[in-house]
């Protein structure tokens, strides 16, 4: 599990395309400082498994399913990526519950800078809009953010996020521009609430109270 607090802005050092997958070597000295084979590291919000380690670098295999459902397919040598190690049990919970399981991709529609922050509007697939709520949580390329506004409908659905200078400087969201494709993970709690509401899981039986005299 992750929290959406990016630890490091890494760089894709190499990409090797396989028949039905891709192998990425990622440069990230902070996240590799205590990493081991088999550890989980989120790359732009996608939970990936370390298969090889070298000083300051780690290698991951990305299957075709992941490439087709995330923006990782657009990465190449030189691309910058947001990196976060899995949260330790005694770690500080700085963001929100992030699984590293991307629900879909969005496309940046506009970037509106102001003096102290930048507003980014992102087009979102209609199927994900029911999980978005103003002031709720959303993960964009692995960054835990607060939804500031929701609008549109159908294929024109969108949401907005406000980025402070720290987020702009320390994540790859500072380089976003209209047309950029980003990974989206909605709040997992919203998905479980929906499933319970639809009655797809057995209800907890009520306790039977017997009156005594």
């Amino acid at each position: 599990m992750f929290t959406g607090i990016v630890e490091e802005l890494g760089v894709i050092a190499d990409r090797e395309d396989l028949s039905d997958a891709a192998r990425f070597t990622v440069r990230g000295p902070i996240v590799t400082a205590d990493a081991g084979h088999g550890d989980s590291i989120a790359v732009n919000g996608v939970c990936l498994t370390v298969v090889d380690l070298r000083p300051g670098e780690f290698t991951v295999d990305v299957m075709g399913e992941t490439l087709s459902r995330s923006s990782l397919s657009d990465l190449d040598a030189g691309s910058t990526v947001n990196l976060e190690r899995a949260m330790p049990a005694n770690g500080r919970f700085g963001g929100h519950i992030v699984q590293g399981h991307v629900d879909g991709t969005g496309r940046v529609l506009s970037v509106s800078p102001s003096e102290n922050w930048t507003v980014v509007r992102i087009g979102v697939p209609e199927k994900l809009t029911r999980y978005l709520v103003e002031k709720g949580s959303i993960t964009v390329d692995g960054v835990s953010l607060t939804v500031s506004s929701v609008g549109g409908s159908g294929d024109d659905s969108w949401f907005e996020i406000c980025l402070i200078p720290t987020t702009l400087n320390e994540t790859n969201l500072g380089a976003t521009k209209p047309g950029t494709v980003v990974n989206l993970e909605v709040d997992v709690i919203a998905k479980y609430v929906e499933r319970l509401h639809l009655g797809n899981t057995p209800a907890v039986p009520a306790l039977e109270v017997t009156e005594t005299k």
Side-chain angles (χ1 to χ4, degrees):
M1 187 181 74
F2 306 90
T3 71
I5 303 300
V6 172
E7 296 183 275
E8 181 175 14
L9 193 57
V11 178
I12 301 297
D14 183 61
R15 170 175 177 160
E16 179 185 357
D17 288 310
L18 309 174
S19 60
D20 59 351
R23 176 166 292 175
F24 291 98
T25 298
V26 187
R27 188 174 301 117
I30 293 177
V31 298
T32 55
D34 61 352
H37 186 276
D39 283 356
S40 295
I41 296 178
V43 179
N44 276 0
V46 181
C47 178
L48 298 173
T49 301
V50 174
V51 298
D52 193 20
L53 277 167
R54 290 188 293 276
E57 295 183 345
F58 66 96
T59 299
V60 292
D61 288 331
V62 185
M63 59 185 176
E65 171 75 6
T66 303
L67 292 172
S68 67
R69 292 179 176 267
S70 74
S71 66
L72 296 189
S73 58
D74 298 332
L75 298 179
D76 210 338
S79 298
T80 57
V81 289
N82 297 321
L83 302 177
E84 181 190 357
R85 288 168 290 189
M87 178 185 174
N90 63 345
R92 188 181 299 276
F93 211 117
H96 71 282
I97 298 174
V98 177
Q99 295 180 297
H101 302 161
V102 171
D103 294 300
T105 58
R107 188 175 298 272
V108 175
L109 301 177
S110 64
V111 179
S112 305
S114 64
E115 184 177 357
N116 296 304
W117 68 83
T118 294
V119 178
V120 178
R121 177 173 291 189
I122 300 174
V124 61
E126 183 181 13
K127 66 180 181 179
L128 298 183
T129 57
R130 62 184 181 271
Y131 303 116
L132 299 179
V133 59
E134 190 172 315
K135 306 307 178 187
S137 296
I138 182 76
T139 307
V140 180
D141 266 0
V143 184
S144 173
L145 296 164
T146 300
V147 176
S148 60
S149 183
V150 179
S153 61
D155 294 337
D156 296 320
S157 299
W158 54 264
F159 69 93
E160 289 182 341
I161 50 177
C162 297
L163 306 179
I164 62 174
T166 297
T167 305
L168 294 170
N169 293 332
E170 297 185 7
T171 75
N172 64 8
L173 296 184
T176 55
K177 56 186 178 180
T180 300
V181 177
V182 291
N183 294 321
L184 303 176
E185 181 184 334
V186 299
D187 192 343
V188 66
I189 295 176
K191 291 190 287 186
Y192 279 119
V193 169
E194 178 188 52
R195 186 165 179 82
L196 288 168
H197 177 71
L198 292 176
N200 291 327
T201 55
V204 178
L207 293 175
E208 181 179 348
V209 179
T210 302
E211 184 178 351
T212 58
K213 294 183 180 180

